[in-house]
Amino acid sequence: MEKDLKQNPRSMKWERNGELASKDLSDLIDRLKNVENECNSSELSRLSTKSDNID
């Protein structure tokens, strides 16, 4: 199964500290913004800005 995850381009990378890799976090937020309602999408945008500042 681990082999399948490495080949799957949609699998996410986790850092040693337990955080989602910044690129994967950004991609996840962008995908969620596309399917969430306007209120949630605004909050996701705020989180996206916060995650961008961490990089």
Side-chain angles (χ1 to χ4, degrees), residues 3-44:
K3 180 182 174 185
D4 292 337
L5 290 176
K6 288 182 180 178
Q7 293 177 348
N8 184 352
R10 291 186 172 195
S11 64
M12 296 181 179
K13 180 181 177 192
W14 295 91
E15 302 293 343
R16 289 183 180 258
N17 65 3
E19 297 287 328
L20 190 57
S22 60
K23 168 107 172 72
D24 288 335
L25 178 59
S26 177
D27 290 347
L28 176 61
I29 290 171
D30 287 341
R31 287 176 185 233
L32 288 172
K33 285 193 300 188
N34 290 331
V35 297
E36 287 294 333
N37 63 41
E38 186 176 330
C39 181
N40 290 347
S41 183
S42 296
E43 181 65 11
L44 287 166

